[in-house]
């Protein structure tokens, strides 16, 4: 199983080319795109043949995870290509604006949903953010969990118990209080689950956690990088 980081920043990108949240998880010939924040579409176009994209997961509806879905629709129209979008159901005008499009086949998920796509099995766990956000657990040759955006909560522990690697929203500086985990959460989790790898993502444009995570074993996500799990 492989994880490619298209964009790692939130809630906006970084001067000089940093993009907000977007990832590809590949297992054998199957792959799924996780979130499509600003700038991620052009990187996605460099990584994969767009007509081969069948599955996209959207963790929550904040702009830094969804904005490129809007321009993606122009490309899908041009290519006459339709993709499956997996996300939770929400009764909001933004949900309708984002997903109501003939080239999007929306499949709603919740914590009871299990989806099999080729060699991968997808499951979902509710997290704790300012809006509804589900983590996705992808089982293939290995198991990867992507938390989306979240504070620490008990379901984060389930992600760690089940996974070989957790791509976690845990890159805010020490002492940060907001709707995301910080590096203290990351370090505590890495000690509690030494067998589980952590890639720390959702980084702020003005703070790179790399130096503070040195020696902890936690990987600071790098854009345009592929990690083998
Ligand atoms: Zn975010």
């Amino acid at each position: 199983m492989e994880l490619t980081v298209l964009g790692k920043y939130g809630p906006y990108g970084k001067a000089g080319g940093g993009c907000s949240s977007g990832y590809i998880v590949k297992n054998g010939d199957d792959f799924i795109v996780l979130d499509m924040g600003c700038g991620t579409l052009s990187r996605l176009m460099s990584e994969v043949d767009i007509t081969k994209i069948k599955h996209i997961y959207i963790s929550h509806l904040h702009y830094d995870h969804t904005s490129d879905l809007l321009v993606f629709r122009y490309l899908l129209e041009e290519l006459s290509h339709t993709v499956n979008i997996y996300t939770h159901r929400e009764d909001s005008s933004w949900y309708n604006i984002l997903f109501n499009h003939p080239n999007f086949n929306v499949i709603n998920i919740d914590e009871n949903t299990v989806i099999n796509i080729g060699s991968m099995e997808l499951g979902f766990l509710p997290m704790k953010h300012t809006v509804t956000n589900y983590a996705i657990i992808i089982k293939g040759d290995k198991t990867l969990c992507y938390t989306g955006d979240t504070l620490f909560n008990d379901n984060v522990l389930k992600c760690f118990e089940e996974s070989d690697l957790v791509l976690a929203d845990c890159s805010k500086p020490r002492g940060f209080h907001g709707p995301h985990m910080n590096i203290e959460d990351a370090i505590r989790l890495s000690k509690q689950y030494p067998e589980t790898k952590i890639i720390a993502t959702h980084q702020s444009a003005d703070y790179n956690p790399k130096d503070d995570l040195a020696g902890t074993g936690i990987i600071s996500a790098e854009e345009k990088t592929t990690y083998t799990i």
Side-chain angles (χ1 to χ4, degrees), residues 9-11 21 60 62 64-65 129 149 180 202:
Y9 291 100
S21 301
H60 66 296
H62 278 157
D64 55 331
H65 299 254
H129 196 44
D149 284 6
H180 306 277
H202 207 277

Side-chain angles (χ1 to χ4, degrees), residues 2-4 6 22-26 31-33 44 47-48:
E2 285 181 346
L3 163 71
T4 299
L6 304 170
Y23 312 90
I24 303 168
V25 175
K26 198 172 174 201
F31 70 93
I32 182 167
V33 177
L44 194 54
E47 288 291 332
V48 297

Side-chain angles (χ1 to χ4, degrees), residues 94-129:
W94 179 231
Y95 178 99
N96 292 327
I97 290 166
L98 261 182
F99 298 128
N100 190 4
H101 190 274
N103 295 85
F104 287 164
N105 175 35
V106 179
I107 296 151
N108 289 129
I109 59 89
D110 62 24
E111 57 268 47
N112 300 314
T113 309
V114 177
I115 291 168
N116 286 289
I117 52 173
S119 58
M120 297 192 284
E121 183 188 286
L122 315 180
F124 309 91
L125 283 170
M127 294 281 118
K128 193 176 172 189
H129 196 44

Side-chain angles (χ1 to χ4, degrees), residues 34-105:
L34 310 179
D35 285 341
M36 278 191 70
C38 66
T40 56
L41 178 59
S42 62
R43 290 201 175 149
L44 194 54
M45 290 161 80
S46 313
E47 288 291 332
V48 297
D49 173 353
I50 296 294
T51 61
K52 297 277 193 304
I53 298 176
K54 291 186 202 155
H55 309 287
I56 297 177
Y57 176 64
I58 299 295
S59 62
H60 66 296
L61 303 197
H62 278 157
Y63 306 148
D64 55 331
H65 299 254
T66 58
S67 62
D68 270 17
L69 279 175
L70 296 172
V71 287
F72 188 39
R73 303 193 309 199
Y74 293 136
L75 181 56
L76 293 176
E77 285 167 17
E78 228 173 86
L79 298 169
S80 301
H81 183 60
T82 298
V83 295
N84 293 326
I85 304 241
Y86 306 92
T87 196
H88 64 277
R89 172 78 203 157
E90 211 170 280
D91 193 14
S92 71
S93 52
W94 179 231
Y95 178 99
N96 292 327
I97 290 166
L98 261 182
F99 298 128
N100 190 4
H101 190 274
N103 295 85
F104 287 164
N105 175 35

